[in-house]
Amino acid sequence: MIGTMLTGRLRKTLLTSLSATLMLASALGTAHAQTTSNTTLLVDIDHRPATSLDGDWHTIVDPYSTGLFNFHHEVKPDGYFMNAKQQPNGGPIEYNFAISPTLKVPGDWNTQRSDLFYYEGVLWYEKDFKYSPKPNTRTFIHFGAANYRSYVWVNTKKVCQHEGGFTPFDCDVTGVVKDGDNFVVVAVDNTRLADGVPTLQTDWWNYGGLTRDVSLVDVPEQFIDDYDLHLSRTNHDLIEGYVHVENAAHGETVTVSIPELNATARATVGTGDRAAISLPVKSVSLWSPENPKLYKVNIDADSESSSDKLEDDMGFRTIETRGTQILLNGKPIFLRGVAIHAEAPYRTGRAYSEKDVDTLLGWAKDLGCNYVRLAHYPHDQRMTRATDRLGILVWSEIPDYWALQFDNPAVLAKSKQQLGEMIRRDRDKASIILWSVANETPVTDARNKYLTTMANLARTLDPTRLVTAALLVRTQKTAAGSHKVVDDPLGQALDVLGTNEYIGWYEQKPAGADTTTWDIRYQKPVIMSEFGAAARAGHHGPATERWTEEYQADVYKHQIPMFNRIPQLRGTSAWVLMDFRSPMRTLPSLQDNFNRKGLVSDQGDKKQAFYVLQKAYKDKAVGKPD
Ligand code: GCU
């Protein structure tokens, strides 16, 4: 992707809306400071009994943050979070959630109401709910994700706030919920920030709102909130890891059992509220694309005063590298894949439903994929549950995308938080083999330092998976064509190198791939993490004419032989499975706010290139595992 520069006028409007949002954040930060950091994160949430708060929520669109600021920009004590009702002799209440329009949750606001299609700013959500407190119980409101910053009040009390549009968070409401009628108010602000993750520019639509499930979850006072259970790389008859019990009682014991394997291990919770697990198993059926075997795993935490139970569906496999090979269960593998954005097929908007997931992964399977790159942010958990069931290997990524403020420690903290949340939520997914810490970031000292820190953090948080990033590649013009050099210094910190190239679209003609040579300066596996071209489905013409299906197919025809000339190539993820919305794509009748590099249109039309790649994948004619 070629860089663009910000115009003077655009910079000015961005700055004014930025100052407004900064005022909002700092005011909300200061006025309600006591609830900033979210201490715990409930995992395996889809296996916990919960009360769904999905459905219709009343909403107020608030471009001026009137719901919080008075006319002198001071935080109002009686903001919209009070959900106040007009009192006969009271002062004027100039909002009323109960009669305000509703929006569906989960769902972005942009595709639910045409007047919100381009909206970026604050939007307030309100939901009434009934609840009856239970003794010795902690109660949380769990958000699957909300884009981009969220501030949450329950019964007028601020309970938490979160930044980051694609990872889950929990708000402890134990102290504020009451028996009977309750209400929750959430201010969601999808304003793009220069010091955000992602930052101001993204080649995807900035869908705002409560984009994933919201639920009320009760857990015992001592509860399981993190665990790592993985097959040992050196002994396939041993599952090892830990279970973390939040607020563990002294002498708390944890039992992990896999009935189908007749295996049980018990351990006492020790330092850091963790119980170290070592579970001998016999003849585990190793998880792989050919055999996506999932086992029922029971995790119990017991103490005199309380017990917590979790069940999970988990596969067991090992993933590692050996030189330039990627080994799954000790055997070399080649990743035949495609990149996917969380854009909903047909209805468009942020994807979240089983139907969205089944359609997208159905097309990937039909394409002959054994791997998908979930770009450029963690997708809904339904996606990674499905890849576990369907046997599709996964590259999962946080939106360290393009030109972040790499010299800003506050931004690094945001990336670290999102990485931690991504890994924590999906640590139990056998299908995920790669954590990606970045995409197409400029090679600077600050960036190298920043992303090396991120890569090392990923390895610390999860030493059982591989760490990668999608790198830009240096191109040297040669008499014959072009010479691609992969020598990005960040490569040192990665286990697997992702390389993005667009020969035939942003550079050269499609046939340029025939004369392109590759020089990879690392003895590591390489994945061609992006390649491709755009075409409007149904737009036909000579293969030399851009935007036609014939042109896009021609690009693919030239790419595949090139891939087979790169000895250490161990995977390919075409850009992209389905056309997706992007504010950067404005060409009338060809783009219309869609990136058209999909192999399938957003309305399900498979383009000619789909069949070119399908044939190559089904014939295993792309790349070699060893
Ligand atoms: C980049 C980028 C994608 C983008 C693509 C494109 O490589 O990573 O997010 O959509 O190029 O230009 O289509």
Side-chain angles (χ1 to χ4, degrees):
M1 175 73 197
I2 313 300
T4 52
M5 293 312 297
L6 290 178
T7 60
R9 195 167 48 69
L10 176 56
R11 183 189 305 278
K12 202 156 61 39
T13 41
L14 275 172
L15 286 174
T16 37
S17 67
L18 202 49
S19 58
T21 52
L22 279 178
M23 289 288 285
L24 173 71
S26 56
L28 278 164
T30 44
H32 301 276
Q34 79 281 2
T35 60
T36 46
S37 62
N38 308 328
T39 51
T40 187
L41 181 60
L42 297 175
V43 294
D44 193 30
I45 193 80
D46 51 349
H47 284 92
R48 275 199 182 276
T51 309
S52 173
L53 294 178
D54 289 351
D56 293 333
W57 288 55
H58 290 285
T59 59
I60 299 175
V61 183
D62 187 11
Y64 286 26
S65 308
T66 311
L68 192 73
F69 290 129
N70 66 18
F71 66 118
H72 285 161
H73 260 306
E74 293 126 1
V75 172
K76 290 198 281 201
D78 57 349
Y80 289 177
F81 51 83
M82 298 302 286
N83 191 16
K85 297 288 177 288
Q86 184 61 53
Q87 303 307 314
N89 310 321
I93 301 290
E94 298 178 292
Y95 70 95
N96 184 341
F97 279 114
I99 56 171
S100 296
T102 61
L103 285 174
K104 289 245 172 298
V105 170
D108 62 273
W109 60 59
N110 312 73
T111 56
Q112 290 191 61
R113 271 178 39 193
S114 56
D115 61 335
L116 295 176
F117 185 61
Y118 284 104
Y119 183 63
E120 293 187 305
V122 175
L123 189 143
W124 294 81
Y125 287 85
E126 187 277 339
K127 178 93 172 170
D128 295 341
F129 63 94
K130 293 210 173 309
Y131 180 73
S132 36
K134 301 170 193 62
N136 313 322
T137 295
R138 299 255 310 260
T139 305
F140 292 88
I141 293 193
H142 179 87
F143 294 85
N147 191 47
Y148 173 69
R149 284 175 303 165
S150 311
Y151 308 88
V152 184
W153 292 263
V154 168
N155 300 337
T156 78
K157 297 284 175 297
K158 175 85 178 302
V159 287
C160 76
Q161 64 188 66
H162 182 266
E163 179 165 345
F166 303 99
T167 46
F169 59 99
D170 289 287
C171 311
D172 189 341
V173 297
T174 313
V176 294
V177 280
K178 53 188 167 59
D179 200 351
D181 295 329
N182 296 264
F183 64 85
V184 51
V185 171
V186 187
V188 179
D189 181 2
N190 74 334
T191 302
R192 285 167 292 116
L193 306 175
D195 64 350
V197 176
T199 182
L200 295 169
Q201 281 184 296
T202 62
D203 189 21
W204 68 79
W205 204 268
N206 182 27
Y207 291 124
L210 297 176
T211 51
R212 293 183 190 155
D213 300 329
V214 182
S215 56
L216 209 54
V217 187
D218 286 333
V219 294
E221 268 152 3
Q222 286 80 35
F223 59 96
I224 300 160
D225 71 343
D226 188 16
Y227 51 91
D228 164 18
L229 298 170
H230 62 269
L231 197 65
S232 153
R233 279 178 174 164
T234 51
N235 171 1
H236 283 186
D237 293 337
L238 181 65
I239 290 173
E240 53 192 2
Y242 66 82
V243 174
H244 180 270
V245 181
E246 178 69 6
N247 190 23
H250 180 69
E252 180 116 18
T253 60
V254 165
T255 308
V256 174
S257 60
I258 307 179
E260 200 181 334
L261 292 172
N262 196 11
T264 301
R266 196 164 281 107
T268 305
V269 175
T271 41
D273 288 348
R274 274 190 180 186
I277 302 297
S278 178
L279 177 63
V281 285
K282 275 271 159 290
S283 51
V284 174
S285 170
L286 298 179
W287 186 98
S288 71
E290 298 72 29
N291 175 48
K293 169 66 184 170
L294 298 177
Y295 288 94
K296 282 259 173 277
V297 177
N298 299 318
I299 307 169
D300 298 69
D302 297 299
S303 71
E304 269 128 52
S305 56
S306 87
S307 87
D308 189 22
K309 278 186 181 327
L310 266 183
E311 184 191 83
D312 200 349
D313 301 309
M314 298 179 70
F316 295 98
R317 51 98 188 98
T318 61
I319 189 75
E320 56 204 309
T321 62
R322 183 179 59 204
T324 66
Q325 295 174 343
I326 298 176
L327 306 181
L328 176 68
N329 299 327
K331 297 197 193 67
I333 190 168
F334 188 88
L335 307 175
R336 294 182 302 280
V338 70
I340 304 179
H341 254 297
E343 181 86 49
Y346 305 108
R347 68 178 170 81
T348 75
R350 189 55 73 217
Y352 64 82
S353 69
E354 289 299 347
K355 191 160 165 294
D356 297 335
V357 166
D358 294 348
T359 305
L360 292 167
L361 294 180
W363 288 334
K365 275 276 189 184
D366 187 16
L367 189 58
C369 295
N370 64 358
Y371 145 70
V372 291
R373 176 186 176 197
L374 301 182
H376 291 290
Y377 38 76
H379 288 213
D380 191 288
Q381 182 164 222
R382 288 185 180 85
M383 181 64 98
T384 50
R385 285 285 187 207
T387 51
D388 261 16
R389 284 193 308 273
L390 295 169
I392 300 177
L393 296 157
V394 170
W395 160 313
S396 184
E397 182 165 290
I398 53 166
D400 283 352
Y401 182 87
W402 289 350
L404 295 186
Q405 291 182 349
F406 291 112
D407 54 2
N408 181 340
V411 177
L412 178 59
K414 295 176 185 180
S415 288
K416 287 180 173 178
Q417 175 210 317
Q418 292 186 29
L419 183 70
E421 290 167 348
M422 171 174 77
I423 293 177
R424 183 119 164 216
R425 187 198 78 182
D426 279 345
R427 199 194 292 283
D428 61 338
K429 314 291 187 310
S431 56
I432 299 184
I433 56 169
L434 290 153
W435 298 123
S436 170
V437 295
N439 178 73
E440 292 196 347
T441 47
V443 179
T444 66
D445 294 351
R447 169 261 193 187
N448 299 345
K449 196 157 158 294
Y450 184 113
L451 293 177
T452 300
T453 303
M454 291 299 295
N456 295 338
L457 175 62
R459 219 167 268 113
T460 307
L461 292 172
D462 180 4
T464 73
R465 290 183 172 86
L466 305 176
V467 178
T468 190
L471 308 174
L472 291 168
V473 179
R474 268 186 328 108
T475 305
Q476 295 165 341
K477 290 248 168 305
T478 63
S482 78
H483 185 58
K484 295 276 185 187
V485 181
V486 181
D487 61 355
D488 183 325
L490 178 61
Q492 278 145 25
L494 306 176
D495 302 308
V496 173
L497 309 180
T499 53
N500 294 0
E501 55 86 10
Y502 282 94
I503 298 168
W505 189 254
Y506 291 125
E507 54 164 311
Q508 303 181 61
K509 292 254 175 295
D514 307 346
T515 54
T516 294
T517 51
W518 286 77
D519 170 2
I520 296 160
R521 302 285 172 79
Y522 294 94
Q523 276 312 304
K524 295 183 178 186
V526 170
I527 294 175
M528 201 59 75
S529 37
E530 286 185 34
F531 61 95
R536 179 74 194 238
H539 185 59
H540 294 287
T544 53
E545 186 188 320
R546 277 179 185 277
W547 305 106
T548 60
E549 291 195 30
E550 289 74 10
Y551 186 100
Q552 184 190 39
D554 190 44
V555 166
Y556 277 77
K557 287 176 191 151
H558 288 279
Q559 291 282 310
I560 294 159
M562 177 185 70
F563 295 153
N564 292 337
R565 293 199 312 275
I566 305 172
Q568 62 207 98
L569 190 72
R570 300 299 178 219
T572 52
S573 36
W575 191 264
V576 63
L577 177 66
M578 186 190 89
D579 293 353
F580 61 95
R581 252 205 201 93
S582 166
M584 302 178 76
R585 310 295 171 174
T586 58
L587 196 54
S589 83
L590 286 172
Q591 292 182 314
D592 298 326
N593 281 329
F594 277 86
N595 181 312
R596 296 289 183 195
K597 295 193 180 71
L599 293 165
V600 186
S601 77
D602 53 292
Q603 295 310 308
D605 313 303
K606 289 179 177 142
K607 305 175 191 177
Q608 289 179 12
F610 180 98
Y611 300 103
V612 171
L613 191 60
Q614 181 190 53
K615 181 163 180 1
Y617 277 173
K618 298 231 162 143
D619 300 352
K620 296 201 172 43
V622 183
K624 296 193 301 313
D626 49 14

